[in-house]
Amino acid sequence: MLTRGDGRGGTALPVLESDGPLALRRTRGSGAEARVMLVGAMSGPLGGDHFTVRADVRDGARLRVGSAAATIALPGQAGGEARYDVRLTVADGGELHWLPEQLISARGSDLRVTTRAELGPAARLVLREEQVLGRVGEEPGRLTSRLTVRIGQRTVLDQELGCGPGASAGWDGPAVLGGHRAVGQLVVVRPEFATRAVPARMLGESAALVPLAGPAVLVTAVATDALRLRRVLDEALTVLV
């Protein structure tokens, strides 16, 4: 998907293309903001699948992207690792809110998720990722998630988390998930953070806010379930914006 300013204070969406199991649907926007929903046209990602989603936000454009439902990683008949790549680009003067629903790692699945955001020095971003390990009463599959954020060609965040069978020892220990089954990240990039630093602090008992080496902050949270995780991240977002 590609958005750009329409010259009248709004956002044009000249390119909205999708294929395969993911469909893109434009919904009613608000003010200058365009809105797009990701809709799963079929089950997945399954073992062996490779999904890629790209969003390009140009100068003067505002885009909000959500999803119609949670994404469930499943083992599939073919087996093997599935991949889900998200590539986000936001130019100076552009703003992107990337707010999909949760990713659920079902038993027997093996999924690698990579999210990479490339931003101009004066770009704005709100990015939320939420992963749930297993459905109710179910052991999780293997999930590897990497999140990279670059601002002005400078890497301000590059982290990877592996969970489930086959992951490095200690992923469920007190230094990582501590027995929780939902984990999430919230990245907020705003140019004003360069002059108005946000101090590091705890947000309740299971979330932490950390300033990054750039006009950005990271909130990391764990919770017993998806509902509690969303509440923590929503509360953090109200503090930051």
Side-chain angles (χ1 to χ4, degrees), residues 27-231:
T27 60
R28 184 182 298 275
S30 175
E33 182 182 77
R35 296 188 178 184
V36 172
M37 295 293 289
L38 283 166
V39 180
M42 60 185 72
S43 297
L46 307 175
D49 285 349
H50 186 182
F51 295 176
T52 301
V53 180
R54 301 181 186 274
D56 186 355
V57 180
R58 303 287 176 86
D59 182 17
R62 296 181 61 190
L63 175 64
R64 179 180 295 263
V65 180
S67 57
T71 298
I72 304 178
L74 298 167
Q77 295 183 348
E81 182 185 74
R83 291 177 57 190
Y84 195 151
D85 298 330
V86 177
R87 300 292 180 262
L88 310 175
T89 305
V90 188
D92 284 341
E95 182 172 350
L96 172 63
H97 287 228
W98 186 264
L99 302 169
E101 294 300 311
Q102 298 89 357
L103 170 64
I104 301 173
S105 174
R107 181 178 181 178
S109 64
D110 185 358
L111 177 64
R112 177 176 293 273
V113 182
T114 63
T115 302
R116 186 178 182 90
E118 294 275 356
L119 282 71
R124 294 174 178 269
L125 174 71
V126 176
L127 183 153
R128 183 185 68 212
E129 285 193 342
E130 299 168 308
Q131 290 106 25
V132 180
L133 305 180
R135 293 167 290 193
V136 176
E138 176 185 65
E139 290 299 312
R142 181 172 181 175
L143 176 63
T144 304
S145 176
R146 183 171 183 175
L147 174 59
T148 305
V149 179
R150 288 169 52 85
I151 303 175
Q153 300 184 346
R154 178 188 183 188
T155 301
V156 300
L157 176 65
D158 191 355
Q159 67 176 23
E160 182 171 295
L161 175 65
C163 304
S168 299
W171 67 268
D172 204 21
V176 188
L177 295 188
H180 294 87
R181 283 297 175 264
V183 57
Q185 296 78 231
L186 177 70
V187 178
V188 179
V189 179
R190 299 174 70 87
E192 53 266 35
F193 288 163
T195 55
R196 180 176 61 84
V198 179
R201 60 185 183 273
M202 294 296 296
L203 301 173
E205 297 181 355
S206 61
L209 184 154
V210 179
L212 301 177
V217 297
L218 169 69
V219 176
T220 302
V222 294
T224 54
D225 57 45
L227 180 59
R228 290 180 174 85
L229 178 66
R230 177 65 60 83
R231 287 174 177 168

Side-chain angles (χ1 to χ4, degrees), residues 16-25 39 41-42 50-52:
L16 187 63
E17 297 179 352
S18 57
D19 189 18
L22 291 177
L24 300 174
R25 297 288 184 264
V39 180
M42 60 185 72
H50 186 182
F51 295 176
T52 301

